[in-house]
Amino acid sequence: MKYFWKLNLVSAIFGLLLFLCAELMVNVYRISRVWEWELGTVVSSVDRINIGVAAIVPILGAFIVWKWLDGRVACYWSLLLWIPYFVLFVSLFAQLFPMTYQGDHPAPVTGLIIIAMTIAYPFYLALPVSLGFWLNRRQKQGRPAFPIE
C-alpha cells in the first residue's frame, strides 16, 4: 500500500509540472494585466520558466523514480497516472480563478500547443522513468548506480 501512495505522489508531481507550464502559457495576458508588466516581458519570462521546467523534469523525474519507486516495473504506470492529476489541477484552477475579463482569454493556437504537449509528455517522461528504474536495478544488484571510474 505504501508503494501505491508513492506512485501516486510521483504521478501527481509529473502532472503538476505539466500543469504549471500549461497554465503559465494560458494566463500570459492575465499576468500582464494584474502585475502591470509589459506583455513581451511576461512572454519571455514564461518561456524561460517553461524551458527551465523542461530541463528539470528529466533530472527530477529520474531521481524521484530511482529513490522512491524501488526499481519495480510498476513505476511505468506513472507514465499514465499523471493524466488524472493534470485534469484535476486544471479543473481546480479553473474553478478557483475563473476568467472574468474577456481580454484575458488566450490565443486559439495556445490550445493546440497544450494538446501537443499533453500528447508528447508521456514519451518525454519515458526517459527519466526508465533511467530511474535502471539506476535502482543497478544499485540492487550491488553495482554502483553511476559507473564512473
Side-chain angles (χ1 to χ4, degrees):
M1 191 65 163
K2 189 176 180 182
Y3 186 78
F4 173 77
W5 293 112
K6 286 181 181 180
L7 182 63
N8 277 290
L9 181 63
V10 169
S11 300
I13 291 170
F14 288 156
L16 180 68
L17 292 173
L18 183 64
F19 163 75
L20 290 175
C21 291
E23 283 300 322
L24 282 174
M25 285 175 37
V26 168
N27 290 309
V28 169
Y29 296 117
R30 184 186 293 187
I31 294 168
S32 176
R33 180 179 56 86
V34 170
W35 288 352
E36 299 174 354
W37 290 352
E38 289 187 23
L39 186 61
T41 305
V42 175
V43 169
S44 65
S45 299
V46 166
D47 288 344
R48 289 182 183 141
I49 290 170
N50 285 347
I51 289 170
V53 169
I56 288 173
V57 165
I59 298 165
L60 179 69
F63 183 76
I64 289 173
V65 170
W66 175 29
K67 291 296 182 181
W68 287 359
L69 296 184
D70 301 330
R72 294 187 193 177
V73 178
C75 70
Y76 287 103
W77 279 103
S78 65
L79 297 178
L80 293 176
L81 286 176
W82 65 269
I83 297 170
Y85 290 106
F86 175 71
V87 171
L88 175 74
F89 293 142
V90 168
S91 62
L92 198 68
F93 189 83
Q95 291 294 321
L96 292 175
F97 304 103
M99 290 216 181
T100 55
Y101 181 67
Q102 290 297 323
D104 288 342
H105 289 286
V109 75
T110 308
L112 295 174
I113 293 170
I114 292 173
I115 290 170
M117 284 172 40
T118 56
I119 290 171
Y121 197 59
F123 301 106
Y124 177 66
L125 285 179
L127 178 68
V129 170
S130 297
L131 180 63
F133 176 76
W134 179 75
L135 288 171
N136 198 304
R137 284 290 172 113
R138 265 185 84 83
Q139 193 174 21
K140 281 186 176 181
Q141 293 172 353
R143 301 188 315 205
F146 295 103
I148 299 173
E149 293 181 25

